[in-house]
């Protein structure tokens, strides 16, 4: 906690401003961000910070921001969120699933402060939620992996077995099987959002099991770097990580928050706040597959991009029936999974050759 507060003081010049300098009608809107991992050079928090800086540029002179990075989920998060509210921030973005209950608790104590919680599902009069439909670009990544694998074993480093992570694994497996029925996904859990050592160990384990393509739902570049060192392929997550795996990276599943952050800040500035739930995907630009590497043949890239166009047009649903879990149980007989079903996902689909750990 002391480390987190120190980071806040370093990150924000606002902490040093006298109260009199902040108390006038012309003062910019103060906005706080709580990050679960270090900003670093790539990854989840890196993308969140790109969004913060994009918003600052778009609303130059109307907003000022501060952030606290590497804040553990749990009691520390609650204290950091409350501290940002007490410092006068009127809009606070809490950017990890595990901040959900802490955000709700502090929001009740500060009804004049607006909050946005990333990847959560609980709203309140002063709390909105946001997420990206990562699973859409995960499906495309699975198609790409299915076209590129030679061993037909593809590895996946997971963070925590919660619905948003399972959506990604399952969409990836469905995309993989759509072009390569013989291929399978193997999963190793890091049980952390950000732990480069554990992430690397998990990736090395998967490579040792025969995976020639690995991907991850964790925050660091460790999986991509492990693939680069092993002479194998990787599909990066959160950011384009070609800098860390110039030969390994086939592509990157990425997400982009700047336009959304700008919209929510504008709502507060204009007195038009909405406690809505936003879940944008490929079509809205919140999720993407980009950073194709030199190893990807032109016809494969063209095929993947054609599938992307189908998703954006609504003619391809990654979670369309029939869907069976990897125990053979039919999970969907017709239609496609709706948002409620996606947010309750607690199983692996066919094609995932691993056993889901119990919560």
């Amino acid at each position: 906690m002391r480390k987190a507060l120190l980071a806040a003081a370093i990150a924000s010049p606002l902490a040093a401003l006298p109260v009199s300098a902040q108390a006038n009608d012309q003062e910019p809107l103060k906005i706080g961000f709580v990050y679960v991992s270090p900003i670093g050079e790539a990854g989840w928090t890196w993308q969140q910070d790109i969004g913060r800086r994009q918003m600052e540029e778009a609303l130059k002179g109307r907003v000022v921001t501060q952030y606290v990075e590497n804040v553990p989920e749990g009691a520390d998060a609650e204290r950091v969120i409350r501290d940002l509210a007490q410092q006068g921030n009127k809009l606070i973005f809490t950017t990890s699933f595990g901040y959900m209950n802490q955000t709700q608790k502090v929001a009740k104590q500060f009804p004049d402060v607006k909050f946005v919680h990333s990847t959560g599902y609980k709203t309140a009069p002063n709390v909105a939620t946001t997420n990206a439909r990562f699973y859409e670009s995960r499906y495309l990544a699975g198609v790409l992996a299915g076209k590129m694998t030679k061993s037909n074993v593809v590895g996946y480093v997971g963070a925590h077995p919660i619905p948003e992570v399972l959506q990604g694994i399952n969409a990836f497996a469905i995309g993989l099987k759509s072009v390569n029925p013989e291929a399978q996904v193997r999963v190793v859990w890091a049980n952390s959002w950000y732990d480069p050592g554990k992430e690397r160990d998990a990736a090395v384990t998967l490579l040792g099991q025969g995976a020639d393509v690995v991907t991850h739902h964790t925050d660091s570049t460790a999986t991509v770097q492990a693939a680069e060192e092993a002479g194998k392929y990787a599909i990066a997550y959160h950011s384009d990580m070609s800098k860390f795996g110039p030969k390994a990276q086939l592509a990157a599943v990425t997400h982009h928050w700047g336009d959304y952050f700008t919209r929510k800040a504008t709502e507060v500035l204009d007195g038009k706040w909405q406690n809505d739930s936003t879940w944008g995907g490929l079509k809205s630009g919140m999720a993407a597959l980009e950073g194709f590497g030199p190893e990807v043949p032109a016809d494969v890239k063209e095929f993947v991009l054609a599938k992307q166009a189908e998703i954006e047009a609504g003619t391809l649903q990654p979670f369309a029936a029939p869907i069976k879990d990897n125990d053979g149980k039919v999970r969907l007989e017709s239609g496609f999974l709706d948002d409620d079903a996606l947010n309750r996902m607690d199983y692996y689909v066919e094609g995932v050759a691993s056993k889901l750990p119990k919560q």
Side-chain angles (χ1 to χ4, degrees), residues 146-166:
K147 290 284 189 180
M148 297 299 293
T149 182
K150 301 298 182 187
S151 68
N152 287 337
V153 178
V154 179
Y156 203 119
V157 178
H160 300 283
I162 62 175
E164 71 171 81
V165 181
L166 295 173

Side-chain angles (χ1 to χ4, degrees), residues 14-330:
L14 294 173
L17 289 177
V19 173
S20 59
Q22 304 174 32
N24 64 72
D25 293 339
Q26 303 303 315
E27 185 177 350
L29 174 69
K30 295 173 68 173
I31 304 175
F33 285 78
V34 184
Y35 296 151
V36 72
S37 58
I39 294 173
E41 298 180 271
W44 170 260
T45 296
W46 173 252
Q47 294 299 128
Q48 295 282 341
D49 201 60
I50 288 175
R52 178 187 67 82
R53 286 181 274 133
Q54 181 182 330
M55 176 194 67
E56 276 193 332
E57 182 64 24
L59 300 175
K60 188 179 296 182
R62 302 181 70 193
V63 301
V64 290
T65 69
Q66 66 182 110
Y67 59 82
V68 186
E69 57 184 324
N70 206 19
V71 178
E73 296 171 334
D76 278 354
E78 181 181 327
R79 286 193 286 272
V80 170
I81 297 166
R82 182 179 296 108
D83 181 64
L84 288 171
Q86 290 172 335
Q87 289 189 53
N89 289 285
K90 295 302 181 184
L91 174 62
I92 297 174
F93 292 89
T94 58
T95 66
S96 188
F97 177 80
Y99 297 156
M100 183 164 61
N101 292 334
Q102 292 77 22
T103 300
Q104 289 288 324
K105 186 174 181 179
V106 178
K108 289 180 181 177
Q109 298 167 346
F110 294 87
D112 63 329
V113 177
K114 304 297 189 286
F115 296 81
V116 175
H117 178 234
S118 292
T119 77
Y121 54 84
K122 293 182 180 178
T123 61
N126 59 336
V127 180
T129 62
T130 185
N131 203 349
R133 295 182 185 274
F134 314 126
Y135 66 85
E136 291 182 346
S137 35
R138 284 293 196 190
Y139 176 92
L140 300 177
V143 171
L144 176 58
K147 290 284 189 180
M148 297 299 293
T149 182
K150 301 298 182 187
S151 68
N152 287 337
V153 178
V154 179
Y156 203 119
V157 178
H160 300 283
I162 62 175
E164 71 171 81
V165 181
L166 295 173
Q167 289 164 24
I169 294 169
N170 289 337
F172 184 81
I174 292 170
L176 179 82
K177 300 286 284 186
S178 73
V179 297
N180 187 343
E182 302 302 316
Q184 60 177 227
V185 179
R186 295 184 182 179
V187 183
V188 173
W189 295 95
N191 295 311
S192 174
W193 294 116
Y194 180 83
D195 189 324
K198 288 184 178 178
E199 294 170 50
R200 176 183 170 77
D201 289 346
V204 169
T205 297
L206 290 162
L207 293 165
Q209 292 177 358
D212 58 357
V213 181
V214 290
T215 188
H216 60 108
H217 190 135
T218 47
D219 290 1
S220 86
T221 60
T223 298
V224 174
Q225 290 174 295
E228 180 78 10
E229 292 169 12
K232 303 297 183 183
Y233 292 136
I235 297 174
Y237 190 52
H238 300 311
S239 299
D240 183 336
M241 296 181 179
S242 54
K243 174 182 176 182
F244 302 92
K247 295 180 180 177
Q249 181 172 298
L250 295 175
V253 172
T254 62
H255 23 90
H256 306 274
W257 308 105
D259 290 345
Y260 174 79
F261 290 166
T262 302
R263 176 165 68 82
K264 298 310 289 183
T266 302
E267 287 180 6
V268 177
L269 287 165
D270 295 347
K272 297 180 179 178
W273 166 260
Q274 295 186 45
N275 63 327
D276 50 11
S277 296
T278 298
W279 203 6
L282 289 167
K283 188 175 182 179
S284 68
M286 290 184 75
L289 186 71
E290 56 187 322
F292 285 90
E295 298 294 319
V296 179
D299 63 326
V300 172
K301 180 179 178 181
E302 184 178 351
F303 182 84
V304 172
L305 293 178
K307 293 300 176 185
Q308 176 175 327
E310 291 179 29
I311 292 175
E312 291 176 349
T315 57
L316 171 60
Q317 293 283 348
F319 288 110
I323 294 176
K324 289 183 179 179
D325 64 27
N326 69 347
D327 289 325
K329 179 181 178 181
V330 176

